[in-house]
Amino acid sequence: MRVVSTRPGPAPAAPVRRDAEATKAAILKAARYLLARHAHADITLRAVAERAGVSPPLILKYFGNKDTLFARVMSFETDADDLLDAPLEELGRHMVRHVLASQRERGADPLLRIAFAPLHDDHGDVLRANFRVQVTERLAGRLPGPDAGLRAELAVAGLLGLGVMYGIARGPHLRATDIDAIVDRYGPFVQAQLTPGS
């Protein structure tokens, strides 16, 4: 005779619920990472999903489609908040440190997405327009004196060149040098555009 236990068994494991905001943040982070290294047209939702640790249908659930996802990714607003978060007299050093720390800690600086903007496509136009308004024009608005727009673009050009040399060309001498030492050498170069005569 078979005895059937009446004791309750272990409770079934509760399904793991992902926090929606954390999942969206992971998807955006993955898309930004890929966009900092590849042209928009070469990035698939599957690649974003794999990097974020989610399924492609989940990306569609949260963002609708690839274009909507990348419209969010193509904004520089949050990155500019971090980049420009210092008093004007310390801004050059802060921006250099920010670019290098982003490269070292995250493997890419979000500003470098502009280097991968396609020249002849709507997404490239959006990325460039966002970059101008959210980064260079915003910086120019903080600068006293003449030629603020030109000086902002020159300062940002210096930062982008540094980011490319550090993160993409992977200059061995640059990468082997302490961030503080680079900030000491390169910060004054950027600052000279922000506060001429300083």
Side-chain angles (χ1 to χ4, degrees), residues 57-121:
L58 193 58
I59 294 177
L60 296 175
K61 173 185 173 185
Y62 285 133
F63 294 97
N65 57 43
K66 179 180 170 181
D67 289 342
T68 304
L69 169 63
F70 278 93
R72 287 276 301 277
V73 170
M74 288 183 193
S75 171
F76 293 92
E77 196 74 46
T78 301
D79 307 316
D81 288 345
D82 295 337
L83 179 71
L84 303 177
D85 186 25
L88 184 59
E89 62 275 8
E90 299 168 19
L91 192 53
R93 293 177 58 83
H94 169 79
M95 292 194 306
V96 169
R97 183 179 303 284
H98 175 78
V99 167
L100 294 173
S102 294
Q103 293 279 359
R104 197 163 277 181
E105 294 165 13
R106 296 187 278 177
D109 181 65
L111 292 178
L112 288 184
R113 288 175 284 155
I114 194 62
F116 294 94
L119 292 177
H120 306 292
D121 130 328

Short mmCIF file of all heavy atoms in Angstrom, two decimals, residues 57-121:
data_model
loop_
_atom_site.label_atom_id
_atom_site.label_comp_id
_atom_site.label_asym_id
_atom_site.label_seq_id
_atom_site.Cartn_x
_atom_site.Cartn_y
_atom_site.Cartn_z
N PRO A 57 12.28 40.75 -26.67
CA PRO A 57 10.90 41.19 -26.46
C PRO A 57 10.72 42.13 -25.27
O PRO A 57 9.84 42.99 -25.28
CB PRO A 57 10.14 39.88 -26.25
CG PRO A 57 10.94 38.85 -26.98
CD PRO A 57 12.37 39.28 -26.77
N LEU A 58 11.58 41.99 -24.25
CA LEU A 58 11.47 42.89 -23.10
C LEU A 58 11.87 44.31 -23.51
O LEU A 58 11.27 45.28 -23.05
CB LEU A 58 12.34 42.40 -21.95
CG LEU A 58 12.09 43.06 -20.60
CD1 LEU A 58 10.64 42.87 -20.16
CD2 LEU A 58 13.03 42.50 -19.55
N ILE A 59 12.85 44.44 -24.39
CA ILE A 59 13.22 45.77 -24.88
C ILE A 59 12.04 46.38 -25.62
O ILE A 59 11.72 47.56 -25.44
CB ILE A 59 14.46 45.69 -25.79
CG1 ILE A 59 15.68 45.23 -24.98
CG2 ILE A 59 14.73 47.05 -26.44
CD1 ILE A 59 16.94 45.05 -25.79
N LEU A 60 11.40 45.57 -26.44
CA LEU A 60 10.22 46.06 -27.19
C LEU A 60 9.11 46.47 -26.24
O LEU A 60 8.42 47.46 -26.46
CB LEU A 60 9.74 45.00 -28.17
CG LEU A 60 10.73 44.65 -29.29
CD1 LEU A 60 10.19 43.50 -30.13
CD2 LEU A 60 11.04 45.86 -30.15
N LYS A 61 8.94 45.71 -25.15
CA LYS A 61 7.90 46.03 -24.18
C LYS A 61 8.14 47.41 -23.56
O LYS A 61 7.21 48.20 -23.41
CB LYS A 61 7.87 44.97 -23.08
CG LYS A 61 6.92 45.30 -21.94
CD LYS A 61 7.01 44.28 -20.82
CE LYS A 61 6.18 44.73 -19.62
NZ LYS A 61 6.34 43.84 -18.48
N TYR A 62 9.39 47.69 -23.22
CA TYR A 62 9.69 48.94 -22.52
C TYR A 62 9.88 50.13 -23.47
O TYR A 62 9.60 51.27 -23.10
CB TYR A 62 10.94 48.80 -21.66
CG TYR A 62 10.72 48.00 -20.40
CD1 TYR A 62 11.59 46.99 -20.02
CD2 TYR A 62 9.63 48.26 -19.58
CE1 TYR A 62 11.39 46.27 -18.86
CE2 TYR A 62 9.41 47.53 -18.42
CZ TYR A 62 10.30 46.54 -18.06
OH TYR A 62 10.10 45.83 -16.92
N PHE A 63 10.40 49.88 -24.68
CA PHE A 63 10.76 51.00 -25.55
C PHE A 63 10.02 51.02 -26.88
O PHE A 63 10.12 51.99 -27.61
CB PHE A 63 12.28 51.01 -25.80
CG PHE A 63 13.05 51.29 -24.54
CD1 PHE A 63 13.59 50.26 -23.79
CD2 PHE A 63 13.22 52.58 -24.09
CE1 PHE A 63 14.29 50.51 -22.62
CE2 PHE A 63 13.92 52.84 -22.92
CZ PHE A 63 14.46 51.81 -22.19
N GLY A 64 9.29 49.96 -27.19
CA GLY A 64 8.49 49.95 -28.42
C GLY A 64 9.25 49.47 -29.64
O GLY A 64 8.82 48.53 -30.29
N ASN A 65 10.38 50.07 -29.94
CA ASN A 65 11.19 49.63 -31.08
C ASN A 65 12.60 50.20 -30.94
O ASN A 65 12.89 50.98 -30.03
CB ASN A 65 10.54 50.05 -32.41
CG ASN A 65 10.32 51.55 -32.50
OD1 ASN A 65 11.19 52.34 -32.13
ND2 ASN A 65 9.16 51.96 -32.98
N LYS A 66 13.45 49.81 -31.86
CA LYS A 66 14.85 50.23 -31.81
C LYS A 66 14.98 51.75 -31.93
O LYS A 66 15.78 52.37 -31.24
CB LYS A 66 15.62 49.54 -32.94
CG LYS A 66 17.09 49.92 -33.00
CD LYS A 66 17.79 49.20 -34.14
CE LYS A 66 19.20 49.76 -34.34
NZ LYS A 66 19.91 49.10 -35.44
N ASP A 67 14.17 52.37 -32.79
CA ASP A 67 14.26 53.81 -32.97
C ASP A 67 13.94 54.57 -31.69
O ASP A 67 14.61 55.55 -31.34
CB ASP A 67 13.34 54.28 -34.10
CG ASP A 67 13.86 53.85 -35.47
OD1 ASP A 67 15.05 53.51 -35.58
OD2 ASP A 67 13.06 53.85 -36.42
N THR A 68 12.91 54.12 -30.98
CA THR A 68 12.53 54.78 -29.72
C THR A 68 13.63 54.60 -28.67
O THR A 68 13.97 55.54 -27.95
CB THR A 68 11.20 54.22 -29.20
OG1 THR A 68 10.22 54.38 -30.20
CG2 THR A 68 10.75 54.94 -27.94
N LEU A 69 14.17 53.39 -28.60
CA LEU A 69 15.26 53.13 -27.66
C LEU A 69 16.44 54.06 -27.95
O LEU A 69 16.96 54.73 -27.04
CB LEU A 69 15.71 51.67 -27.76
CG LEU A 69 17.01 51.32 -27.02
CD1 LEU A 69 16.85 51.53 -25.52
CD2 LEU A 69 17.42 49.89 -27.33
N PHE A 70 16.83 54.16 -29.20
CA PHE A 70 18.00 54.95 -29.52
C PHE A 70 17.74 56.45 -29.49
O PHE A 70 18.67 57.24 -29.31
CB PHE A 70 18.64 54.48 -30.82
CG PHE A 70 19.52 53.27 -30.58
CD1 PHE A 70 19.01 52.00 -30.72
CD2 PHE A 70 20.81 53.43 -30.14
CE1 PHE A 70 19.80 50.89 -30.45
CE2 PHE A 70 21.61 52.33 -29.86
CZ PHE A 70 21.10 51.05 -30.03
N ALA A 71 16.48 56.85 -29.60
CA ALA A 71 16.17 58.27 -29.39
C ALA A 71 16.51 58.65 -27.95
O ALA A 71 17.04 59.73 -27.67
CB ALA A 71 14.71 58.55 -29.68
N ARG A 72 16.21 57.74 -27.01
CA ARG A 72 16.58 57.98 -25.61
C ARG A 72 18.09 57.95 -25.43
O ARG A 72 18.67 58.77 -24.72
CB ARG A 72 15.94 56.90 -24.71
CG ARG A 72 14.47 57.02 -24.49
CD ARG A 72 14.09 57.99 -23.38
NE ARG A 72 14.64 57.66 -22.08
CZ ARG A 72 14.10 56.79 -21.24
NH1 ARG A 72 12.97 56.17 -21.55
NH2 ARG A 72 14.66 56.56 -20.09
N VAL A 73 18.73 56.99 -26.08
CA VAL A 73 20.18 56.83 -25.94
C VAL A 73 20.91 58.01 -26.56
O VAL A 73 21.98 58.39 -26.11
CB VAL A 73 20.62 55.50 -26.60
CG1 VAL A 73 22.13 55.41 -26.71
CG2 VAL A 73 20.08 54.32 -25.81
N MET A 74 20.33 58.60 -27.59
CA MET A 74 21.00 59.68 -28.30
C MET A 74 20.91 61.02 -27.58
O MET A 74 21.44 62.01 -28.05
CB MET A 74 20.44 59.80 -29.72
CG MET A 74 20.87 58.67 -30.60
SD MET A 74 20.26 58.91 -32.27
CE MET A 74 20.56 57.29 -32.95
N SER A 75 20.29 61.04 -26.44
CA SER A 75 20.27 62.26 -25.64
C SER A 75 21.57 62.34 -24.83
O SER A 75 22.03 61.35 -24.28
CB SER A 75 19.07 62.26 -24.69
OG SER A 75 19.18 63.34 -23.79
N PHE A 76 22.14 63.53 -24.76
CA PHE A 76 23.35 63.76 -23.98
C PHE A 76 23.05 64.53 -22.69
O PHE A 76 23.96 64.94 -21.99
CB PHE A 76 24.36 64.56 -24.81
CG PHE A 76 24.92 63.82 -25.98
CD1 PHE A 76 24.32 63.91 -27.22
CD2 PHE A 76 26.04 63.02 -25.84
CE1 PHE A 76 24.82 63.22 -28.31
CE2 PHE A 76 26.57 62.32 -26.92
CZ PHE A 76 25.95 62.43 -28.16
N GLU A 77 21.77 64.72 -22.40
CA GLU A 77 21.37 65.59 -21.28
C GLU A 77 21.99 65.16 -19.95
O GLU A 77 22.63 65.95 -19.26
CB GLU A 77 19.84 65.59 -21.17
CG GLU A 77 19.30 66.72 -20.34
CD GLU A 77 19.38 68.06 -21.06
OE1 GLU A 77 19.01 68.14 -22.23
OE2 GLU A 77 19.81 69.02 -20.41
N THR A 78 21.82 63.89 -19.59
CA THR A 78 22.35 63.40 -18.31
C THR A 78 23.87 63.43 -18.31
O THR A 78 24.50 63.80 -17.31
CB THR A 78 21.85 61.97 -18.04
OG1 THR A 78 20.42 62.01 -18.01
CG2 THR A 78 22.35 61.44 -16.72
N ASP A 79 24.47 63.05 -19.44
CA ASP A 79 25.93 63.05 -19.53
C ASP A 79 26.48 64.47 -19.40
O ASP A 79 27.50 64.69 -18.75
CB ASP A 79 26.37 62.45 -20.87
CG ASP A 79 25.74 61.09 -21.11
OD1 ASP A 79 25.72 60.29 -20.16
OD2 ASP A 79 25.24 60.85 -22.22
N ALA A 80 25.79 65.43 -20.00
CA ALA A 80 26.22 66.82 -19.90
C ALA A 80 26.09 67.33 -18.46
O ALA A 80 26.92 68.11 -18.00
CB ALA A 80 25.43 67.71 -20.86
N ASP A 81 25.05 66.89 -17.76
CA ASP A 81 24.89 67.28 -16.35
C ASP A 81 26.15 66.91 -15.57
O ASP A 81 26.68 67.70 -14.79
CB ASP A 81 23.69 66.58 -15.71
CG ASP A 81 22.35 67.11 -16.19
OD1 ASP A 81 22.32 68.21 -16.80
OD2 ASP A 81 21.33 66.43 -15.96
N ASP A 82 26.63 65.68 -15.77
CA ASP A 82 27.82 65.21 -15.06
C ASP A 82 29.08 65.92 -15.54
O ASP A 82 29.93 66.32 -14.75
CB ASP A 82 27.98 63.70 -15.23
CG ASP A 82 26.85 62.91 -14.60
OD1 ASP A 82 26.19 63.44 -13.68
OD2 ASP A 82 26.61 61.76 -15.02
N LEU A 83 29.20 66.09 -16.85
CA LEU A 83 30.39 66.69 -17.43
C LEU A 83 30.58 68.13 -16.98
O LEU A 83 31.70 68.58 -16.74
CB LEU A 83 30.30 66.65 -18.96
CG LEU A 83 31.47 67.27 -19.72
CD1 LEU A 83 32.72 66.41 -19.58
CD2 LEU A 83 31.12 67.48 -21.18
N LEU A 84 29.49 68.86 -16.85
CA LEU A 84 29.56 70.30 -16.57
C LEU A 84 29.32 70.64 -15.11
O LEU A 84 29.14 71.81 -14.77
CB LEU A 84 28.56 71.04 -17.46
CG LEU A 84 28.73 70.82 -18.96
CD1 LEU A 84 27.64 71.53 -19.74
CD2 LEU A 84 30.11 71.24 -19.43
N ASP A 85 29.36 69.66 -14.23
CA ASP A 85 29.03 69.84 -12.82
C ASP A 85 30.24 70.31 -12.01
O ASP A 85 30.79 69.58 -11.19
CB ASP A 85 28.48 68.53 -12.25
CG ASP A 85 27.98 68.69 -10.83
OD1 ASP A 85 27.61 69.83 -10.45
OD2 ASP A 85 27.96 67.69 -10.09
N ALA A 86 30.69 71.52 -12.30
CA ALA A 86 31.80 72.12 -11.54
C ALA A 86 31.76 73.62 -11.76
O ALA A 86 31.25 74.09 -12.77
CB ALA A 86 33.14 71.54 -12.02
N PRO A 87 32.30 74.39 -10.82
CA PRO A 87 32.40 75.84 -11.02
C PRO A 87 33.29 76.12 -12.24
O PRO A 87 34.20 75.34 -12.55
CB PRO A 87 33.06 76.35 -9.74
CG PRO A 87 32.95 75.23 -8.76
CD PRO A 87 32.83 73.96 -9.52
N LEU A 88 33.03 77.23 -12.91
CA LEU A 88 33.74 77.55 -14.15
C LEU A 88 35.25 77.53 -13.97
O LEU A 88 35.98 77.03 -14.84
CB LEU A 88 33.28 78.91 -14.68
CG LEU A 88 33.86 79.33 -16.03
CD1 LEU A 88 33.53 78.31 -17.11
CD2 LEU A 88 33.35 80.71 -16.41
N GLU A 89 35.75 78.04 -12.85
CA GLU A 89 37.21 78.11 -12.67
C GLU A 89 37.86 76.75 -12.49
O GLU A 89 39.07 76.61 -12.61
CB GLU A 89 37.57 79.04 -11.49
CG GLU A 89 37.05 78.61 -10.14
CD GLU A 89 35.61 79.07 -9.86
OE1 GLU A 89 34.95 79.61 -10.77
OE2 GLU A 89 35.16 78.87 -8.71
N GLU A 90 37.06 75.71 -12.22
CA GLU A 90 37.59 74.35 -12.06
C GLU A 90 37.10 73.41 -13.15
O GLU A 90 37.38 72.21 -13.14
CB GLU A 90 37.14 73.79 -10.70
CG GLU A 90 37.62 74.58 -9.52
CD GLU A 90 36.92 74.17 -8.22
OE1 GLU A 90 36.35 73.06 -8.17
OE2 GLU A 90 36.94 74.97 -7.27
N LEU A 91 36.36 73.94 -14.11
CA LEU A 91 35.65 73.10 -15.06
C LEU A 91 36.57 72.33 -15.99
O LEU A 91 36.31 71.16 -16.30
CB LEU A 91 34.66 73.96 -15.86
CG LEU A 91 33.64 73.21 -16.71
CD1 LEU A 91 32.87 72.19 -15.89
CD2 LEU A 91 32.68 74.20 -17.36
N GLY A 92 37.66 72.93 -16.46
CA GLY A 92 38.57 72.23 -17.37
C GLY A 92 39.11 70.96 -16.74
O GLY A 92 39.07 69.88 -17.35
N ARG A 93 39.61 71.06 -15.53
CA ARG A 93 40.14 69.87 -14.83
C ARG A 93 39.03 68.86 -14.58
O ARG A 93 39.24 67.66 -14.74
CB ARG A 93 40.80 70.30 -13.51
CG ARG A 93 42.06 71.12 -13.68
CD ARG A 93 42.62 71.57 -12.34
NE ARG A 93 42.92 70.46 -11.46
CZ ARG A 93 44.04 69.75 -11.49
NH1 ARG A 93 44.99 70.05 -12.35
NH2 ARG A 93 44.23 68.74 -10.65
N HIS A 94 37.86 69.35 -14.18
CA HIS A 94 36.74 68.45 -13.91
C HIS A 94 36.35 67.67 -15.17
O HIS A 94 36.13 66.45 -15.13
CB HIS A 94 35.53 69.23 -13.40
CG HIS A 94 34.28 68.42 -13.35
ND1 HIS A 94 34.01 67.53 -12.33
CD2 HIS A 94 33.23 68.33 -14.22
CE1 HIS A 94 32.85 66.93 -12.57
NE2 HIS A 94 32.36 67.41 -13.71
N MET A 95 36.27 68.35 -16.31
CA MET A 95 35.85 67.69 -17.54
C MET A 95 36.88 66.65 -17.98
O MET A 95 36.52 65.56 -18.42
CB MET A 95 35.58 68.71 -18.64
CG MET A 95 34.36 69.56 -18.35
SD MET A 95 33.72 70.53 -19.76
CE MET A 95 35.12 71.43 -20.29
N VAL A 96 38.15 66.96 -17.86
CA VAL A 96 39.20 65.99 -18.21
C VAL A 96 39.10 64.77 -17.30
O VAL A 96 39.12 63.62 -17.76
CB VAL A 96 40.60 66.64 -18.11
CG1 VAL A 96 41.70 65.58 -18.22
CG2 VAL A 96 40.75 67.70 -19.20
N ARG A 97 38.95 65.00 -16.01
CA ARG A 97 38.83 63.89 -15.07
C ARG A 97 37.60 63.04 -15.39
O ARG A 97 37.64 61.82 -15.36
CB ARG A 97 38.76 64.40 -13.63
CG ARG A 97 38.70 63.28 -12.58
CD ARG A 97 38.65 63.84 -11.17
NE ARG A 97 39.77 64.69 -10.88
CZ ARG A 97 41.00 64.27 -10.61
NH1 ARG A 97 41.25 62.97 -10.62
NH2 ARG A 97 41.97 65.12 -10.36
N HIS A 98 36.50 63.71 -15.71
CA HIS A 98 35.26 63.00 -16.02
C HIS A 98 35.42 62.07 -17.22
O HIS A 98 35.02 60.91 -17.18
CB HIS A 98 34.14 64.01 -16.28
CG HIS A 98 32.86 63.38 -16.71
ND1 HIS A 98 32.00 62.77 -15.82
CD2 HIS A 98 32.30 63.22 -17.94
CE1 HIS A 98 30.96 62.28 -16.48
NE2 HIS A 98 31.13 62.55 -17.77
N VAL A 99 36.03 62.58 -18.29
CA VAL A 99 36.23 61.76 -19.50
C VAL A 99 37.12 60.56 -19.19
O VAL A 99 36.81 59.43 -19.58
CB VAL A 99 36.81 62.62 -20.64
CG1 VAL A 99 37.32 61.75 -21.78
CG2 VAL A 99 35.76 63.60 -21.15
N LEU A 100 38.21 60.78 -18.48
CA LEU A 100 39.13 59.68 -18.17
C LEU A 100 38.52 58.68 -17.20
O LEU A 100 38.66 57.46 -17.37
CB LEU A 100 40.43 60.23 -17.60
CG LEU A 100 41.26 61.07 -18.58
CD1 LEU A 100 42.43 61.70 -17.85
CD2 LEU A 100 41.72 60.25 -19.77
N ALA A 101 37.83 59.17 -16.18
CA ALA A 101 37.21 58.27 -15.20
C ALA A 101 36.12 57.44 -15.86
O ALA A 101 35.97 56.25 -15.58
CB ALA A 101 36.65 59.06 -14.02
N SER A 102 35.34 58.04 -16.77
CA SER A 102 34.31 57.28 -17.48
C SER A 102 34.94 56.16 -18.29
O SER A 102 34.45 55.03 -18.30
CB SER A 102 33.52 58.19 -18.43
OG SER A 102 32.78 59.13 -17.70
N GLN A 103 36.06 56.46 -18.94
CA GLN A 103 36.75 55.44 -19.73
C GLN A 103 37.27 54.32 -18.83
O GLN A 103 37.11 53.15 -19.12
CB GLN A 103 37.94 56.07 -20.48
CG GLN A 103 37.56 57.03 -21.54
CD GLN A 103 37.16 56.35 -22.83
OE1 GLN A 103 37.17 55.14 -22.94
NE2 GLN A 103 36.79 57.13 -23.80
N ARG A 104 37.89 54.72 -17.73
CA ARG A 104 38.53 53.72 -16.86
C ARG A 104 37.50 52.88 -16.11
O ARG A 104 37.64 51.68 -15.98
CB ARG A 104 39.45 54.44 -15.88
CG ARG A 104 40.45 53.50 -15.23
CD ARG A 104 41.60 54.24 -14.60
NE ARG A 104 42.62 54.56 -15.60
CZ ARG A 104 43.75 55.19 -15.32
NH1 ARG A 104 44.01 55.57 -14.09
NH2 ARG A 104 44.62 55.46 -16.26
N GLU A 105 36.44 53.52 -15.63
CA GLU A 105 35.46 52.81 -14.79
C GLU A 105 34.39 52.10 -15.60
O GLU A 105 33.93 51.04 -15.22
CB GLU A 105 34.81 53.80 -13.82
CG GLU A 105 35.79 54.36 -12.80
CD GLU A 105 35.26 55.59 -12.08
OE1 GLU A 105 34.05 55.88 -12.20
OE2 GLU A 105 36.06 56.27 -11.42
N ARG A 106 33.95 52.72 -16.72
CA ARG A 106 32.85 52.14 -17.48
C ARG A 106 33.27 51.60 -18.83
O ARG A 106 32.48 51.00 -19.54
CB ARG A 106 31.76 53.20 -17.70
CG ARG A 106 31.12 53.65 -16.41
CD ARG A 106 29.95 54.54 -16.68
NE ARG A 106 30.36 55.90 -16.94
CZ ARG A 106 29.54 56.88 -17.26
NH1 ARG A 106 28.26 56.65 -17.40
NH2 ARG A 106 29.99 58.10 -17.46
N GLY A 107 34.52 51.84 -19.22
CA GLY A 107 34.99 51.33 -20.50
C GLY A 107 34.65 52.23 -21.67
O GLY A 107 35.05 51.96 -22.79
N ALA A 108 33.90 53.29 -21.45
CA ALA A 108 33.56 54.21 -22.53
C ALA A 108 33.06 55.51 -21.92
O ALA A 108 32.49 55.50 -20.85
CB ALA A 108 32.48 53.63 -23.42
N ASP A 109 33.30 56.58 -22.62
CA ASP A 109 32.73 57.84 -22.20
C ASP A 109 31.51 58.11 -23.07
O ASP A 109 31.60 58.02 -24.29
CB ASP A 109 33.72 59.00 -22.34
CG ASP A 109 33.10 60.30 -21.88
OD1 ASP A 109 32.81 60.40 -20.68
OD2 ASP A 109 32.87 61.17 -22.71
N PRO A 110 30.36 58.38 -22.45
CA PRO A 110 29.14 58.58 -23.25
C PRO A 110 29.26 59.67 -24.30
O PRO A 110 28.59 59.62 -25.33
CB PRO A 110 28.09 58.95 -22.20
CG PRO A 110 28.60 58.39 -20.92
CD PRO A 110 30.10 58.46 -21.01
N LEU A 111 30.11 60.66 -24.09
CA LEU A 111 30.27 61.72 -25.09
C LEU A 111 30.82 61.20 -26.39
O LEU A 111 30.58 61.75 -27.45
CB LEU A 111 31.18 62.82 -24.56
CG LEU A 111 30.65 63.66 -23.41
CD1 LEU A 111 31.70 64.65 -22.97
CD2 LEU A 111 29.37 64.36 -23.79
N LEU A 112 31.60 60.10 -26.33
CA LEU A 112 32.22 59.58 -27.54
C LEU A 112 31.20 59.01 -28.52
O LEU A 112 31.54 58.71 -29.67
CB LEU A 112 33.26 58.51 -27.20
CG LEU A 112 34.54 59.04 -26.57
CD1 LEU A 112 35.52 57.91 -26.36
CD2 LEU A 112 35.17 60.13 -27.42
N ARG A 113 29.95 58.88 -28.10
CA ARG A 113 28.92 58.43 -29.05
C ARG A 113 28.88 59.34 -30.26
O ARG A 113 28.54 58.91 -31.36
CB ARG A 113 27.54 58.44 -28.37
CG ARG A 113 27.38 57.34 -27.37
CD ARG A 113 26.05 57.46 -26.65
NE ARG A 113 26.12 58.52 -25.66
CZ ARG A 113 25.08 59.19 -25.21
NH1 ARG A 113 23.88 58.95 -25.68
NH2 ARG A 113 25.22 60.12 -24.30
N ILE A 114 29.23 60.61 -30.08
CA ILE A 114 29.18 61.54 -31.21
C ILE A 114 30.19 61.15 -32.28
O ILE A 114 29.98 61.41 -33.47
CB ILE A 114 29.41 63.00 -30.73
CG1 ILE A 114 29.02 63.99 -31.83
CG2 ILE A 114 30.83 63.23 -30.27
CD1 ILE A 114 27.58 63.97 -32.25
N ALA A 115 31.29 60.50 -31.89
CA ALA A 115 32.30 60.10 -32.87
C ALA A 115 31.78 59.02 -33.81
O ALA A 115 32.33 58.82 -34.89
CB ALA A 115 33.55 59.60 -32.14
N PHE A 116 30.72 58.34 -33.41
CA PHE A 116 30.17 57.26 -34.23
C PHE A 116 28.89 57.68 -34.94
O PHE A 116 28.19 56.85 -35.51
CB PHE A 116 29.92 56.02 -33.37
CG PHE A 116 31.19 55.42 -32.86
CD1 PHE A 116 31.67 55.77 -31.61
CD2 PHE A 116 31.91 54.55 -33.63
CE1 PHE A 116 32.86 55.24 -31.14
CE2 PHE A 116 33.11 54.01 -33.18
CZ PHE A 116 33.58 54.35 -31.93
N ALA A 117 28.58 58.96 -34.91
CA ALA A 117 27.36 59.42 -35.60
C ALA A 117 27.55 59.26 -37.10
O ALA A 117 28.52 59.76 -37.67
CB ALA A 117 27.10 60.89 -35.26
N PRO A 118 26.65 58.54 -37.76
CA PRO A 118 26.77 58.41 -39.21
C PRO A 118 26.61 59.77 -39.88
O PRO A 118 25.85 60.61 -39.42
CB PRO A 118 25.63 57.46 -39.59
CG PRO A 118 24.72 57.42 -38.42
CD PRO A 118 25.49 57.84 -37.21
N LEU A 119 27.35 59.98 -40.95
CA LEU A 119 27.33 61.28 -41.60
C LEU A 119 26.08 61.54 -42.42
O LEU A 119 25.64 62.66 -42.56
CB LEU A 119 28.56 61.42 -42.52
CG LEU A 119 29.90 61.49 -41.79
CD1 LEU A 119 31.04 61.54 -42.79
CD2 LEU A 119 29.95 62.70 -40.87
N HIS A 120 25.48 60.47 -42.94
CA HIS A 120 24.36 60.66 -43.87
C HIS A 120 23.16 59.82 -43.44
O HIS A 120 22.78 58.89 -44.13
CB HIS A 120 24.78 60.27 -45.29
CG HIS A 120 26.01 60.98 -45.76
ND1 HIS A 120 26.04 62.33 -46.00
CD2 HIS A 120 27.26 60.53 -45.98
CE1 HIS A 120 27.25 62.68 -46.37
NE2 HIS A 120 28.02 61.62 -46.37
N ASP A 121 22.58 60.16 -42.32
CA ASP A 121 21.40 59.42 -41.91
C ASP A 121 20.69 60.20 -40.82
O ASP A 121 21.27 61.04 -40.16
CB ASP A 121 21.88 58.01 -41.53
CG ASP A 121 21.48 57.43 -40.23
OD1 ASP A 121 21.31 58.14 -39.26
OD2 ASP A 121 21.35 56.21 -40.21
#
